[in-house]
Amino acid sequence: MYDIKELYEAESVRDAIRLRLEHPEAQIIAGGSDVLVQMREGKRAGKELISIYTLDELRGVCLDMEDNLRIGSLTSFSHLTKHPLIRQHINVLGEAVDMVGGPQIRNIGTIGGNTCNGVTSADSASTLHAYEALIELTGAEGVRRVPIKDFYLGAGKVDIRPDEIQTAILIPKASYENTCGYYYKYAMRNAMDIATTGCSVNVRLSPDKQTFERVRVAFGVAGPVPMRAPGAEAAAGGQPVSAETAEAFGLAVVGDINPRDSWRASKAFRQHVAVEMARRCLVESVKRCGGELK
C-alpha cells in the first residue's frame, strides 16, 4: 500500500500548472518508477500527488521549425530508444536510456522524470549534457528554456519553479548535426544497476576524417551533478585523429571531474576508470563517424 494523501490528475499542461499553484507541497508524478518506490520506503509518505501521466501532448519526438530535436518529457525510455529520429540523429541517447533498469522500468519511466530527479547517476544525464540540451519549463508566466548545465543546481536539486512543469527537452541542431557519440556505463552488474560512473562522448570530424573539429564529453557520478569536462574537450578539439590524442584526452579528464568516495566506489577508483572510459568512448565515437585512429 502507498501512503498517498491525495491524487490529482491534470487534464492539460495549463491544468497541471493550476494544480501546482493550488497545492504547492504536492509532488509531480509521471511514470512513478521513482516516486512510488520512494513512497513505499517512507521518504514521501503522506504526500499529495499531481499526475501528468495522461498528458499525451508531452509525449513523442519531433524536429521543430529550426530542426532542433524536441523530446516530450513524458516520452518513455523504450519509445526513445526505438524512435527513428533518435536513431538517425542521436542514437547514443537511445542506447544510454536502454541501460536504465529492466524492460518494465524502461516502458514506464520517462526522460522528464530521469532529469527532474536531479541525480548525477541518471543514465540520460551525461549524454544530454554532452549534447548541450535545453530544458523546457512551462509555468504561469509562460515558457522558459534552461541550459541543462544550469538546470542541475545540486545533488537532487533542479531549477523548477513552484508553478512549473517540465514539458520538453531540446537538442540543438548545432549540437547533434554531423556528430556521432558513445556512452559507457560502469556498474557492478550488466543490468538493473545504478552507474558507478557514466561517460558520454560525441565527436565531429573534419571532412577528411583526420582532425577533431569538435569534441564533447560529460560524466555522471563524477561530482554532485552531471558535468562536462572542458579541459579534456580542449585537449582533443582541433587535434589529429590519433591514438596520442585519445590518450591525452583521457588523461585530461582527471583535472575536470570531482567524484566522491561512496560505498559503491572510492574517489580514486572513479578517477582511474574515468580516464579509460573517456578514451574508449572517444575511440568508439570516431569509428561511428567513419574515422580511424592512426
Side-chain angles (χ1 to χ4, degrees):
M1 295 294 291
Y2 297 99
D3 184 4
I4 300 172
K5 182 179 179 181
E6 195 70 57
L7 174 65
Y8 309 100
E9 293 192 68
E11 298 178 356
S12 65
V13 170
R14 186 56 49 191
D15 191 41
I17 294 167
R18 176 188 65 81
L19 289 167
R20 286 274 279 160
L21 290 169
E22 291 179 0
H23 306 278
E25 300 300 318
Q27 167 73 46
I28 291 286
I29 183 171
S33 56
D34 286 312
V35 172
L36 293 179
V37 171
Q38 292 165 357
M39 295 193 85
R40 287 190 66 178
E41 292 174 344
K43 295 177 181 177
R44 297 183 185 272
K47 278 280 189 179
E48 293 178 301
L49 300 179
I50 298 172
S51 173
I52 60 171
Y53 189 71
T54 62
L55 304 186
D56 287 341
E57 61 198 283
L58 301 185
R59 288 186 170 85
V61 182
C62 65
L63 293 174
D64 68 12
M65 296 294 290
E66 298 174 344
D67 283 341
N68 303 311
L69 269 170
R70 179 184 175 86
I71 304 169
S73 290
L74 291 186
T75 306
S76 72
F77 300 127
S78 296
H79 281 93
L80 201 60
T81 299
K82 298 173 184 176
H83 199 283
L85 287 175
I86 297 297
R87 289 186 169 184
Q88 178 182 354
H89 296 297
I90 184 172
N91 193 43
V92 59
L93 179 59
E95 292 172 340
V97 299
D98 203 39
M99 298 182 187
V100 176
Q104 298 94 333
I105 296 296
R106 293 193 292 272
N107 285 341
I108 196 80
T110 64
I111 187 72
N114 207 223
T115 50
C116 286
N117 275 338
V119 296
T120 184
S121 59
D123 285 305
S124 68
S126 53
T127 297
L128 292 175
H129 274 72
Y131 277 90
E132 300 162 325
L134 301 172
I135 305 297
E136 181 185 275
L137 301 157
T138 303
E141 296 182 1
V143 176
R144 67 186 180 108
R145 291 179 176 175
V146 181
I148 195 165
K149 65 181 179 63
D150 299 323
F151 181 65
Y152 284 75
L153 301 177
K157 298 179 181 179
V158 293
D159 181 19
I160 299 180
R161 295 170 183 170
D163 64 314
E164 292 178 330
I165 65 168
Q166 188 198 109
T167 45
I169 298 171
L170 293 98
I171 312 295
K173 180 181 179 181
S175 292
Y176 74 75
E177 191 174 36
N178 299 322
T179 69
C180 296
Y182 190 81
Y183 174 69
Y184 195 111
K185 176 180 181 176
Y186 184 91
M188 296 299 123
R189 299 180 300 186
N190 291 330
M192 297 295 289
D193 203 0
I194 295 172
T196 301
T197 304
C199 177
S200 186
V201 171
N202 65 76
V203 305
R204 182 177 297 150
L205 303 182
S206 60
D208 63 3
K209 312 295 185 185
Q210 299 302 304
T211 305
F212 288 107
E213 286 191 351
R214 195 198 75 175
V215 177
R216 296 288 184 266
V217 54
F219 284 90
V221 207
V225 297
M227 60 176 61
R228 292 265 294 277
E233 294 175 356
Q239 298 300 309
V241 177
S242 67
E244 290 78 9
T245 300
E247 291 296 329
F249 171 76
L251 292 171
V253 305
V254 177
D256 292 319
I257 63 176
N258 185 30
R260 66 184 179 93
D261 290 311
S262 76
W263 67 270
R264 289 184 180 276
S266 67
K267 176 177 181 176
F269 180 78
R270 285 190 167 105
Q271 289 175 320
H272 175 74
V273 298
V275 171
E276 180 61 18
M277 290 169 71
R279 189 194 69 80
R280 291 189 188 186
C281 286
L282 186 76
V283 170
E284 289 299 322
S285 297
V286 168
K287 290 179 180 179
R288 290 182 172 193
C289 279
E292 183 179 356
L293 272 71
K294 305 297 184 182

